[in-house]
Amino acid sequence: MGLTRLGVVSPVGCNVEAAWRTILAGQSKIGRLSGDMYDKLPCRVAATIDKNDIDLEQCFSKTELKTMARATAFALIAAKEALTAASWTPPHDDEQSCQRTGVAIGMGMVDLMDICETNDALKKGYNRVSPFFVPRILPNMPAGQLSIRYGFRGPNHAVSTACATGAHALGDAFRFIQHGDADVMVCGGAEACISPLGIAGFCRLRALSTAFNDEPTASSRPFDERRDGFVMGEGSAIFVLEELEHAKSRGVPIYGEILGYGLSGDASHLTAPREDGTGALLAMRRALNDAGVGVADVGYVNAHATSTPIGDAIEARSIRTLFGEHTQTVAVSSTKGAHGHLLGAAGNLEALFVMQACRSGVIPPTVNLEKVTDDMAGLNYIANKAEPWDGGKRGRRIALKNSFGFGGTNACLCIGEYSE
């Protein structure tokens, strides 16, 4: 399955080249949240989109912004970058191309403040409620808006599986093409739910970092012994996936390939991973089986690792179990130290960096990783500084991308360097 282009709106950059440069430089773009409502909360840090990078009022008309959530706007901007770079914007009257192009874009959470503000408006009167309120909060609207804007009439699909959303969207799109439902899929995830209520809710779950409010760039620290919770982020990353022969027939450069897709359920707990790590293990094994590759063929694992004490340790255990005697030869990192946790847009944003790693031969680092605790020892962590990846005896660079979500939902993508 060929990947022909990418697009991104993220805390680390609002185009692919800028985001990749920031990631390779090992820079954290997490900052302090300002405002009276945040001052009262245990967590006061997040990774937000800089208005100097993306000003939605400059990208859309006032009428358009009334119809869409912030996450939808991010998805449309990222999709435009990807589609333009892929040279795939067929006119609406090109029936064949439009009918064979689909969308699969998910969202983990709606904007809670949109709901609160609309409820306040209702208290003042029925007519104060926007007619676009419901469309704004539907998780399938990034996919719907994109389909309408470009006239794509293939599969119109939206995933909402918490923090595994973005990876599931890519995997589902991969399978739509495999099964002949489309030749091209525009896919990924979007998220923009940073608000006092969102922060408060995750704080009550004891999920967010609270120890680094005065040092925001140090707050997200996957696998590090001082990790104390994740940091919320926002943005979108969009892929243009294309059936390989279709891409070749157009003569467009192919960035890389999705080789396999694995899914599993923990069936264990609302928010915590299964303690023995078998949920993650099943997803990874199924992705490898689907791709037809073995553990010895994989040179890099981009971990879900959100910087939580429990989750990171369980994932490390499952990676050790999967790779066994090959554990020390597999590089492991999580880019969340730089951009925080984008929830429903995490898996797709990080898959973008995996694809770049496979293509460029450079493995991105885990920012703020200073010391690993004994329960996570034994892995080849790439800490703070990017490292070259030549593929070694494997020849072709192949990686796994993990994503796990509340409710015990797990996804793993097997991604590879494009090989003729």
Side-chain angles (χ1 to χ4, degrees), residues 330-349:
V330 178
V332 177
S333 74
S334 168
T335 57
K336 288 186 175 76
H339 52 68
H341 187 9
L342 271 65
L343 307 179
N348 50 307
L349 176 65

Side-chain angles (χ1 to χ4, degrees), residues 293-300 323 325-331 363 380 389-399 417 419:
V293 302
V295 292
D297 299 310
V298 177
Y300 172 48
F323 285 94
E325 63 184 23
H326 300 285
T327 297
Q328 278 297 318
T329 65
V330 178
I363 295 175
N380 178 23
W389 179 16
D390 62 9
K393 294 180 181 179
R394 303 174 183 85
R396 185 184 190 188
R397 290 185 285 266
I398 295 175
E417 176 186 10
S419 177

